[in-house]
Amino acid sequence: VILTRFISIFIVLCLSEELKKHHDAVYDLAKLFLGQPSLQQILLPYGVLPGKPADPQENSSYGPDWLWYCLNLLPLNAEKKIVALSSTSLRQRLEMVQACLNAYRDPRSNYAFMMYLYMRR
């Protein structure tokens, strides 16, 4: 019984550390992408990217403020937005934001993103 509890706690701690690393990597990607000088003027109405909490589940099990900021800002189709809103998985939301940010790393896609934001204003 004690060994089973120990193993359970160990697994939870490992998964927690893995989630934190994923959280930090996606935040860094968002900060790099949204910090581009070419986007600064367009992003003014949306404010700045909220800071990264030490613990991604600190305020809520649904994720930190910066993640919701990105989900609001990024051009996800309606189906993906519904999945993001209905999901209780922080990991799933992180993966959605990461996939979208990776898709816009190409300069041509970056221009399309700028136009998307400009048209939203």
Side-chain angles (χ1 to χ4, degrees):
V1 174
I2 294 174
L3 182 60
T4 305
R5 278 195 170 149
F6 175 76
I7 291 172
S8 297
I9 292 170
F10 180 73
I11 289 171
V12 168
L13 289 174
C14 287
L15 291 175
S16 226
E17 187 59 32
E18 180 186 321
L19 181 64
K20 182 172 179 353
K21 285 179 184 177
H22 190 205
H23 165 266
D24 292 350
V26 177
Y27 179 85
D28 293 342
L29 180 62
K31 189 172 181 177
L32 181 68
F33 180 78
L34 297 173
Q36 296 177 75
S38 59
L39 293 176
Q40 294 315 298
Q41 189 69 26
I42 296 170
L43 288 173
L44 278 176
Y46 302 100
V48 296
L49 178 69
K52 176 176 63 173
D55 177 6
Q57 296 181 341
E58 183 177 284
N59 296 333
S60 159
S61 61
Y62 298 115
D65 294 342
W66 73 265
L67 186 60
W68 290 103
Y69 174 89
C70 288
L71 285 168
N72 176 51
L73 200 61
L74 295 172
L76 297 169
N77 64 34
E79 182 182 312
K80 287 188 180 186
K81 285 193 180 202
I82 290 171
V83 169
L85 290 171
S86 63
S87 174
T88 58
S89 169
L90 174 58
R91 184 177 312 283
Q92 186 177 22
R93 288 193 184 111
L94 286 169
E95 288 169 356
M96 291 175 79
V97 168
Q98 185 176 29
C100 194
L101 289 170
N102 283 332
Y104 282 97
R105 290 176 92 174
D106 176 52
R108 291 173 298 220
S109 297
N110 195 350
Y111 178 75
F113 179 66
M114 287 173 36
M115 293 309 297
Y116 165 80
L117 288 176
Y118 182 76
M119 298 304 287
R120 268 184 65 173
R121 295 191 336 184

